[in-house]
Amino acid sequence: MTEMKPVTEATAVKAPVLPDAQTVTEVKHWTDSLFSFKVSRPASLRFRSGEFVMIGLLGDNGKPLLRAYSIASPSWDEELEFYSIKVQDGPLTSKLQHIKAGDQIILRPKPVGTLVHDALLPGKRLWFFATGTGFAPFASLLREPQTYEDYDEIIITHTCREVDELEYGRHLIEDIRQDEMLAELMGEGFADKIRYYPTTTREKSPKMGRITELLKDGTVFADLGIDGGIKPDTDRAMVCGSLAFNLDIKEILEGFDLREGANSEPKEFVIEKAFVG
Ligand SMILES: Cc1cc2nc3c(=O)[nH]c(=O)nc-3n(C[C@H](O)[C@H](O)[C@H](O)COP(=O)(O)OP(=O)(O)OC[C@H]3O[C@@H](n4cnc5c(N)ncnc54)[C@H](O)[C@@H]3O)c2cc1C
Ligand SMILES: NC(=O)c1ccc[n+]([C@@H]2O[C@H](COP(=O)([O-])OP(=O)(O)OC[C@H]3O[C@@H](n4cnc5c(N)ncnc54)[C@H](OP(=O)(O)O)[C@@H]3O)[C@@H](O)[C@H]2O)c1
């Protein structure tokens, strides 16, 4: 039998107290370079679907090591979900990729961002253009009732290098289509408004190529049966990918006479970087 010893100040192990700590409740690894996780939600945190916050861990120097992360869960959810890259020599994600349920992370409860409904003028068809982890803000907006109240059609394009990298998005949309609670919240048949358009660039899949090229040569419109391309009076767009991707899509959207909006000045499209560098 193990001998019980009284806990003295010398023997007591104090749990480290992180500033703005939240508890990890679930972790799912999708590929060698992608994972998603859920954490508890601070009672005071209010955010608009599509916004991002700063999250992180304590660095080796004892100071918070924080990075911007889109909240992938919708504004009404009890928990917060994130979808993350694993950069093997990345200061944060080289460590963050090892978190487990029960661990703590730091979450600064100050949501911000431009990929929000408020930054767009009213329209009929909403395009979400994502590459890689740029899918994250749209994982939130695809579960947001306002998306279906405000639009007749939601087209989500997701371009990744390889087929496996599409899996988080594919799985999420499949879940949305089958979720009875969401159907009750948003109205039966709401998910029929979603048109999912995944493409890969380096591994063979049913639809290959950069979405930018598929927009320029009209393939997307032919595939989706859209006459006349993107129109400024009906179409709205949100864009989230690398800087190069964002700039290329911006040029295409401006070619269709859409204008970039912001929280303070809603227009026809909005853009946010999925990462810096
Ligand atoms: C507004 C905003 C929202 C963001 N939301 C997310 C999110 O939801 N999920 C997420 O994984 N990351 C997101 N990021 C990126 C994130 O802030 C970090 O860069 C990422 O977690 C890597 O951190 P790190 O310290 O390990 O490496 P860093 O030093 O931050 O990055 C090292 C290098 O890795 C590459 N890289 C970084 N992040 C990514 C990425 N997401 N996809 C592809 N390459 C990348 C870049 O080349 C970068 O220079 C977001 C960034 C911004 C600006
Ligand atoms: N994911 C990986 O397997 C991998 C492997 C090694 C290194 N990395 C590094 O990790 C970082 C992120 O990789 P990632 O694959 O997540 O993101 P990424 O390099 O931004 O690519 C994501 C997807 O977006 C496409 N894309 C990139 N720029 C585009 C543009 N201007 N217009 C249209 N489409 C564009 C890519 O197509 P293309 O394939 O045509 O570029 C790819 O399908 C990069 O710095 C990369 O060098 C990633």
Side-chain angles (χ1 to χ4, degrees), residues 219-238:
T219 305
V220 178
F221 307 122
D223 286 346
L224 298 174
I226 294 172
D227 277 339
I230 294 173
K231 303 181 197 78
D233 52 339
T234 51
D235 290 58
R236 302 291 173 261
M238 296 193 187

Side-chain angles (χ1 to χ4, degrees), residues 43-204:
S44 61
L45 177 66
R46 298 278 172 275
F47 68 96
R48 294 176 294 173
S49 292
E51 288 188 313
F52 68 88
V53 285
M54 302 301 290
I55 66 169
L57 298 168
L58 273 191
D60 294 336
N61 60 3
K63 292 190 180 151
L65 174 57
L66 301 174
R67 291 286 185 269
Y69 268 81
S70 296
I71 303 173
S73 45
S75 59
W76 50 264
D77 212 343
E78 280 172 17
E79 292 185 313
L80 298 174
E81 181 181 335
F82 298 97
Y83 178 48
S84 180
I85 190 91
K86 303 176 197 175
V87 182
Q88 290 318 328
D89 57 356
L92 178 64
T93 57
S94 58
K95 295 196 173 86
L96 192 69
Q97 62 182 283
H98 301 296
I99 53 166
K100 308 177 296 310
D103 289 350
Q104 293 196 326
I105 66 155
I106 303 166
L107 188 150
R108 294 272 191 259
K110 294 192 180 70
V112 287
T114 53
L115 302 180
V116 290
H117 283 303
D118 295 346
L120 291 178
L121 293 170
K124 289 193 182 313
R125 179 162 53 209
L126 180 59
W127 296 78
F128 292 144
F129 292 109
T131 59
T133 57
F135 191 89
F138 306 136
S140 173
L141 284 155
L142 282 167
R143 291 178 278 183
E144 166 59 51
Q146 193 185 348
T147 303
Y148 304 92
E149 286 159 14
D150 288 1
Y151 294 93
D152 298 336
E153 195 178 3
I154 297 100
I155 300 173
I156 164 90
T157 83
H158 192 197
T159 299
C160 293
R161 296 174 177 210
E162 292 168 10
V163 174
D164 280 359
E165 296 169 332
L166 293 168
E167 197 48 30
Y168 171 80
R170 187 186 300 284
H171 193 266
L172 184 113
I173 290 169
E174 211 45 56
D175 273 0
I176 290 176
R177 293 195 194 283
Q178 287 165 15
D179 194 311
E180 287 172 14
M181 197 270 283
L182 284 183
E184 210 166 290
L185 191 71
M186 317 219 205
E188 209 60 51
F190 81 96
D192 298 342
K193 292 185 174 182
I194 304 174
R195 309 195 66 189
Y196 176 47
Y197 197 85
T199 84
T200 58
T201 50
R202 307 212 184 174
E203 188 184 1
K204 204 165 179 326

Side-chain angles (χ1 to χ4, degrees), residues 31 33-34 85-87 130-134 158-162 165 199-203 209-213 216 241-249 252 274-277:
T31 71
S33 62
L34 293 167
I85 190 91
K86 303 176 197 175
V87 182
T131 59
T133 57
H158 192 197
T159 299
C160 293
R161 296 174 177 210
E162 292 168 10
E165 296 169 332
T199 84
T200 58
T201 50
R202 307 212 184 174
E203 188 184 1
R210 288 183 164 197
I211 192 70
T212 42
E213 298 309 314
K216 282 190 233 167
S242 63
L243 178 61
F245 172 73
N246 289 358
L247 289 174
D248 287 353
I249 287 273
I252 292 170
F275 57 90
V276 180

